[in-house]
Amino acid sequence: MSLIAVIDFETSGMAPETGGRATEVAIVLAEGGRVVDRYQSLMNAGVWIPPFITELTGISNAMVRAAPP
């Protein structure tokens, strides 16, 4: 059976050129149609998260302040 990793990122914006950086990563490992492991973490990229992104993702500046870089 194949092990499949599904990776999802939330960001502070759409483009790195305008300051968009990752604010959360989530990974799910699946094998044979079953979830065998998962990981999720907020990320502190040292950038400001605009109100629109907070409304869209639910991730705020206060939430990432203590998150790992």
Side-chain angles (χ1 to χ4, degrees), residues 10-16 18-23 47-50 52-53 57:
E10 297 298 339
T11 66
S12 63
M14 293 295 292
T18 59
R21 299 290 186 272
T23 56
V47 297
W48 180 73
I49 301 171
F52 168 76
I53 297 296
T57 66

Side-chain angles (χ1 to χ4, degrees), residues 2-3 6-7 10-11 18 20 24 27 29 32-33 46-47 53-55 58 61-62 68:
S2 297
L3 185 64
V6 179
I7 303 170
E10 297 298 339
T11 66
T18 59
E24 180 182 35
I27 304 166
L29 295 177
V47 297
I53 297 296
T54 296
E55 187 175 321
N61 289 292

